[in-house]
Amino acid sequence: MEELAKEAGIPVRTVRFYRERGLISPPRREGRIAWYDDHHLARLRTIAGLLERGHTLTGIADLARTFESGRDVAEVLGLGEPSEETPVRVTPEQLADYFEGEVTPENLAAALDLGYLATDGDEIVHISRRLLEVSAELVREGVPLATVFAAGRRVREHADALAELFVSVLEAHSDEDARGNAPEPPQLRPLARAVVDAELSMALDRRLRREDTDRPPRKPAS
């Protein structure tokens, strides 16, 4: 414990206090010797980083329990990584910086449930760099992270329906292989993206025009 405390740059009594609070896991014991490893050191540094960002020890303990209950990255990604989205590894401190004041156990649980976040040993993996950056931008624009996740659930429902539509349409007109499996048409993704992007753009035009029409006219200045 003394060696661990020295490496982490904190007093031994602090390490002991974290042990008692369950913030770090028990050491591996060999007789009367307690062995700490890099996992314990990484956890101590994470605690220090989150404390600097205003989190309380109780909040950090809640965050740790939430992460430990989440799915690992292999389970989220399935048999292979997404073909187009790029997963990105982040530390708990970096996650706190992305979503300042919004990293709560409730929001983490929602992100884990959606599959946006997964764990890989001691590391956190966000399933999509694009989603991470867009979510952070929405929060910077004043949208609560809980609202971003609620919207994400609705978007996913529509996206799943659109994917089913495009796959069904193209598979119906694609040749099957000898085993009866229709390979992914090479034009599937670019065509689907182009249609959805154009239709969404026109839908936003219609929505914004309707908003302008519904807005009462300004009174002339006297």
Side-chain angles (χ1 to χ4, degrees), residues 2 33 66 134 159:
E2 290 178 358
I33 301 176
T66 303
V134 169

Side-chain angles (χ1 to χ4, degrees), residues 49-190:
L50 292 175
L51 286 173
E52 289 178 359
R53 288 158 175 79
H55 290 264
T56 65
L57 287 177
T58 300
I60 293 171
D62 290 340
L63 295 178
R65 282 192 291 270
T66 303
F67 275 124
E68 288 165 1
S69 67
R71 295 175 293 171
D72 63 35
V73 67
E75 183 182 356
V76 172
L77 294 177
L79 298 177
E81 294 187 353
S83 58
E84 293 189 326
E85 294 306 305
T86 303
V88 56
R89 296 176 183 272
V90 292
T91 65
E93 301 96 310
Q94 289 171 330
L95 198 64
D97 289 339
Y98 266 106
F99 304 104
E100 187 173 354
E102 294 279 341
V103 178
T104 64
E106 295 77 15
N107 283 337
L108 280 180
L112 290 164
D113 184 55
L114 276 165
Y116 287 173
L117 293 181
T119 58
D120 187 11
D122 294 333
E123 293 189 297
I124 303 165
V125 178
H126 196 290
I127 200 70
S128 166
R129 181 180 294 278
R130 289 195 296 178
L131 278 177
L132 173 62
E133 293 175 351
V134 169
S135 299
E137 182 63 29
L138 286 168
V139 170
R140 285 192 291 269
E141 291 292 326
V143 181
L145 188 54
T147 302
V148 173
F149 290 150
R153 289 184 186 279
R154 295 182 62 189
V155 169
R156 179 169 294 180
E157 292 174 3
H158 293 296
D160 283 342
L162 287 169
E164 180 66 29
L165 171 63
F166 283 110
V167 170
S168 299
V169 168
L170 288 177
E171 280 187 348
H173 301 280
S174 299
D175 294 329
E176 295 182 345
D177 60 23
R179 292 173 298 176
N181 298 318
E184 177 183 323
Q187 72 274 27
L188 171 62
R189 293 173 189 267

